[in-house]
Amino acid sequence: QVQLVESGGGLVQPGGSLRLSCAASGFTFSSYDMSWFRQVPGKQRELVAVIRRSRSTNYADSVKGRFTISRDNAKNTAYLYMNSLKPEDAAVYYCNAHFPGSDDRDDSWGQGTQVTVSS
């Protein structure tokens, strides 16, 4: 079955860096768009970055220039490199797999990884 497993979250000081990983299995990874979302309590889940199967990317304005999304199709893994972290980046980060043209309700999600930014 489809499985997405995030890792790499943790506690980091403001200005620090983290790399999140999303290991995928159970589907043809290279055919899917992969995204990172984040959510804080009481707020809606928001899109952070997407890398399409074409490798084109888009970022939320709040993370442009600081975060980089990438994918390794040979390893079935997506990454989110987060630099210059700010307290407002603290959230649970979720990996998402979306087959282009399909209903968003059919997307697959990971269980999330907590990122805490605090001194």
Side-chain angles (χ1 to χ4, degrees):
Q1 71 277 21
V2 173
Q3 193 171 19
L4 299 173
V5 179
E6 300 100 333
S7 62
L11 172 64
V12 63
Q13 292 186 341
S17 300
L18 282 176
R19 186 189 77 166
L20 305 183
S21 299
C22 172
S25 60
F27 63 102
T28 305
F29 180 78
S30 60
S31 297
Y32 281 67
D33 297 341
M34 299 299 298
S35 299
W36 288 94
F37 285 75
R38 66 187 181 188
Q39 189 171 25
V40 297
K43 290 192 175 182
Q44 282 194 327
R45 193 171 294 189
E46 65 170 350
L47 176 65
V48 175
V50 57
I51 183 166
R52 298 175 186 83
R53 58 185 181 183
S54 65
R55 295 187 180 271
S56 67
T57 58
N58 282 100
Y59 296 90
D61 287 343
S62 58
V63 307
K64 280 181 183 176
R66 300 188 298 120
F67 290 12
T68 301
I69 190 170
S70 67
R71 64 191 299 160
D72 185 335
N73 289 343
K75 295 183 178 180
N76 289 349
T77 302
Y79 302 96
L80 185 68
Y81 296 83
M82 304 186 295
N83 297 314
S84 302
L85 282 161
K86 304 175 181 180
E88 53 263 42
D89 294 318
V92 178
Y93 283 71
Y94 296 91
C95 180
N96 166 279
H98 173 77
F99 189 79
S102 70
D103 193 314
D104 288 351
R105 290 171 292 183
D106 294 328
D107 287 2
S108 297
W109 294 88
Q111 82 288 349
T113 186
Q114 178 73 51
V115 171
T116 304
V117 184
S118 175
S119 54

